[in-house]
């Protein structure tokens, strides 16, 4: 992170600590140096007022807040019972979020003096990609047999519920309910406000992907042995459609809100009328379909199938173009941004294609790869997430504006809220919320909030052991 008038750099020590330097970015002149008791750990963060935050490694880690003008600490924070603190994160309001990895605790404190606001105890395990409510005020998270609803402002748990057996996929969420499905073929609808069970439906087989609401929220599409349309209020079956080959993707409701499509194990893409399930069209690819996506209205449907990406007409299903992507398969959905289509392959590289022809524009040349999971941002930028971290990339050129390196690789596709917040999970069980606020193309502020989770996305219910000690200089 870069403040308006300086750059900060940590220099690891060699047994006697480390140091934090401030360097004037144009001339490269050293402005100040601050010695640390032990080596700095992870990335630095810069708050909205320029304060520099970081933590030291070792058995007695310290969170430091450094004045950018003088290089002297504003305050230091220690946690008596913590064996490890992870890099702090700072949001646009100046709130500092800190992970105590040993305790599995999320702490929040003020940037002005380090006053503790709260230790966050989130009460449900999280394993699948979170899903945001239409008003962006809540996020539904699922793992194991539990679904929890969290407030997006502070990640406080509104409720958690265990409606049945082991849950199979991410939740679907509309303005008044959350729908989840378990491995035994049960579909559950829970009240959004209280988490109370509203209805249960039993299907012949387990679901294959997350449920999906129609545009009006009145119908929920569920993929099992067939494509099912259920009434959102009662769970009553409105219609079902058998496909050639079992469904392999979540249903996709097209931008016209009148058409639902699904991909199958035989490479079929089937489109049906959302009112009665009657067939509209069918298209064929060369391999099982792994993902479907559509951008804005009238844009083509992008179909991931093995190492090929297909662009289909949303009205007829006709193949507009086909592109072979690298050497690996395509695990996730492609995205379209203006005249550019972007897709990640299983080798983690990202590729940009001409949206009209499928011709290659550029390919990811990074050593580790930027992908394979993608999400559209704003201002011609997109997010790429994968083993190498989270990256903000310019769609037109592939220029990487900034990168954020969590402590483990991502495990699912990220999602982006209406305010630009990116939600992404990692294999060590951390759920990150990153907010990108551009200043100029070369300078940007990325505010990050993180929930420390364990075991592939689990959030752990934890007490608040140990005392906290602050000292100022």
């Amino acid at each position: 992170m870069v403040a308006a008038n300086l750059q900060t750099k940590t220099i690891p020590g060699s047994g006697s600590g480390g140091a934090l330097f401030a360097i004037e970015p144009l001339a490269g002149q050293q402005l100040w140096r601050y010695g640390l008791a032990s080596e700095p750990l992870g990335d630095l963060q810069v708050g909205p007022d320029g304060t520099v935050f970081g933590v030291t490694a070792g058995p007695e880690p310290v969170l430091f807040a450094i004045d950018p003008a003088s290089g002297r600490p504003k305050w230091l924070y220690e946690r008596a019972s913590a064996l490890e603190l992870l890099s702090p994160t700072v949001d646009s309001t100046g709130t500092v979020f800190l992970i105590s990895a040993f305790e599995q605790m999320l702490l929040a404190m003020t940037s002005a003096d380090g006053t503790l606001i709260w230790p966050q105890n989130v009460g449900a395990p999280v394993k699948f990609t979170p899903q945001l409510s239409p008003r962006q005020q809540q996020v539904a998270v699922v793992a194991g047999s539990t679904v929890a609803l969290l407030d997006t402002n502070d990640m406080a748990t509104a409720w958690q519920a265990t409606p049945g057996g082991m849950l199979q996929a991410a939740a679907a969420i509309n303005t008044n309910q959350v729908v989840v499905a378990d491995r035994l073929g049960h579909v559950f609808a829970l009240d959004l406000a209280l988490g109370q069970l509203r209805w249960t439906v039993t299907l012949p087989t387990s679901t294959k992907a997350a449920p999906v609401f129609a545009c009006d929220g009145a119908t929920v599409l569920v993929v099992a042995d067939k494509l099912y349309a259920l009434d959102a209020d009662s769970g009553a079956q409105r219609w079902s459609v058998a496909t050639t080959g079992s469904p392999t993707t979540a249903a996709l409701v097209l931008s016209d809100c009148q058409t639902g499509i699904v991909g199958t194990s035989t490479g079929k893409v089937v489109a049906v009328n959302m009112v009665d399930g009657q067939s509209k069209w069918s298209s064929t690819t060369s391999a099982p379909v792994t993902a479907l996506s559509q951008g804005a209205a009238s844009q083509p449907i992008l179909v991931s199938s093995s190492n090929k990406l297909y662009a289909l007409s949303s009205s007829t299903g006709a193949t507009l173009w086909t592109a072979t992507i690298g050497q690996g398969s395509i695990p996730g959905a492609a995205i379209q941004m203006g005249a550019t289509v972007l897709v990640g392959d299983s080798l983690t590289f990202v590729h940009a294609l001409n949206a009209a022809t499928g011709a290659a524009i550029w390919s990811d040349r990074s050593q580790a790869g930027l992908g394979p999971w993608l999400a559209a941002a704003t201002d011609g930028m997109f997010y790429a997430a994968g083993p190498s971290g989270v990256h903000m990339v310019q769609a037109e050129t592939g220029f990487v504006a900034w990168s954020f390196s969590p402590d483990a690789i991502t495990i699912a596709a990220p999602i982006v809220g209406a305010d630009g917040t990116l939600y992404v999970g990692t294999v060590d069980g951390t759920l990150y919320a990153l907010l990108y606020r551009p200043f100029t193309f070369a300078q940007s502020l990325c505010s990050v909030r993180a929930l420390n989770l364990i075991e592939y996305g689990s959030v752990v219910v934890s007490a608040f052991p140990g005392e906290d000690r602050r000292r100022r200089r």
Side-chain angles (χ1 to χ4, degrees):
M1 309 301 171
V2 182
N5 62 344
L6 60 86
Q7 291 180 340
T8 57
K9 184 177 181 181
T10 55
I11 310 296
S14 56
S16 59
L20 177 67
F21 291 84
I23 302 170
E24 201 283 322
L26 297 179
Q29 178 183 1
Q30 179 179 316
L31 301 177
W32 48 257
R33 174 188 184 278
Y34 175 66
L36 301 172
S38 61
E39 293 185 6
L41 178 67
D43 296 332
L44 299 173
Q45 299 288 320
V46 178
D49 64 352
T51 301
V52 180
F53 299 91
V55 296
T56 60
E60 297 182 357
V62 175
L63 168 67
F64 52 83
I66 307 298
D67 180 82
S70 65
R72 302 302 302 167
K74 290 184 173 181
W75 51 265
L76 301 172
Y77 176 85
E78 294 178 88
R79 194 150 167 79
S81 61
L83 297 183
E84 181 182 5
L85 298 178
L86 303 185
S87 298
T89 57
V90 188
D91 73 8
S92 58
T93 69
T95 301
V96 182
F97 297 88
L98 179 66
I99 294 296
S100 170
F102 176 73
E103 298 171 298
Q104 299 155 6
M105 294 291 298
L106 173 65
L107 310 174
M109 58 195 70
T110 62
S111 62
D113 59 7
T115 300
L116 190 68
I117 301 172
W118 44 253
Q120 180 63 44
N121 301 323
V122 184
V126 181
K127 195 173 182 179
F128 298 101
T129 301
Q131 299 296 313
L132 289 163
S133 66
R135 296 189 181 97
Q136 309 282 303
Q137 296 173 341
Q138 299 97 2
V139 56
V141 289
V142 168
S145 57
T146 301
V147 55
L149 191 75
L150 310 180
D151 185 283
T152 55
N153 290 320
D154 58 11
M155 293 298 173
T157 303
W159 53 257
Q160 64 180 35
T162 305
M166 189 70 66
L167 298 178
Q168 181 75 349
I173 181 171
N174 69 1
T175 55
N176 59 14
Q177 64 186 350
V178 175
V179 176
V180 293
D182 70 13
R183 294 180 181 178
L184 300 178
H186 302 120
V187 182
F188 308 96
L190 305 168
D191 181 77
L192 181 66
L194 302 175
Q196 296 174 340
L197 184 66
R198 299 181 65 176
W199 53 257
T200 303
V201 170
T202 302
L203 301 177
T205 65
S206 63
T207 57
K208 304 295 181 63
V212 175
F213 277 106
C215 297
D216 60 3
T219 302
V220 59
L221 299 180
V222 182
V223 173
D225 60 320
K226 301 177 182 180
L227 174 62
Y228 292 88
L230 306 179
D231 182 89
D233 288 333
S234 66
Q237 181 176 309
R238 293 187 169 184
W239 49 260
S240 65
V241 173
T243 58
T244 303
S246 60
T248 53
T249 70
L252 173 67
V253 179
L254 298 189
S255 56
D256 64 6
C257 295
Q258 300 176 14
T259 307
I261 65 173
V262 68
T264 75
S265 59
T266 59
K268 294 285 186 180
V269 180
V270 179
V272 299
N273 188 301
M274 286 292 295
V275 175
D276 55 15
Q278 292 297 308
S279 176
K280 283 193 167 184
W281 52 258
S282 177
S283 186
T284 303
T285 67
S286 61
V289 179
T290 54
L292 303 168
S293 63
Q294 185 192 31
S298 76
Q299 286 184 345
I301 301 162
L302 300 175
V303 182
S304 304
S305 176
S306 185
N307 68 334
K308 295 183 183 297
L309 184 67
Y310 296 79
L312 306 182
S313 165
S314 60
S315 58
T316 67
T319 301
L320 304 178
W321 50 260
T322 305
T324 301
I325 306 300
Q327 300 298 314
S329 60
I330 305 173
I335 59 174
Q336 180 170 345
M337 300 187 64
T340 305
V341 168
L342 300 139
V343 62
D345 65 31
S346 59
L347 301 180
T348 73
F349 295 105
V350 178
H351 309 269
L353 311 174
N354 183 294
T357 66
I361 299 176
W362 56 262
S363 290
D364 178 359
R365 299 298 182 188
S366 62
Q367 183 175 3
L370 300 173
W373 311 111
L374 309 180
T378 57
D379 303 319
M381 309 295 284
F382 71 95
Y383 291 105
S388 63
V390 181
H391 314 275
M392 174 67 84
V393 187
Q394 188 182 46
E396 184 178 355
T397 65
F399 172 80
V400 179
W402 55 257
S403 296
F404 170 74
S405 298
D407 294 317
I409 64 174
T410 59
I411 60 174
I415 56 171
V416 180
D419 64 351
T421 300
L422 178 81
Y423 298 88
V424 62
T426 60
V427 295
D428 68 346
T430 304
L431 174 64
Y432 291 90
L434 298 93
L435 181 60
Y436 170 68
R437 296 183 182 276
F439 290 106
T440 67
F441 186 71
Q443 290 183 322
S444 62
L445 172 66
C446 171
S447 300
V448 186
R449 288 176 293 150
L451 292 176
N452 184 242
L453 324 170
I454 65 167
E455 223 169 86
Y456 297 90
S458 336
V459 180
V460 176
V461 181
S462 175
F464 185 33
E467 62 177 314
D468 23 85
R469 295 178 286 133
R470 271 179 295 279
R471 56 193 173 116
R472 295 177 176 84
R473 291 181 182 173

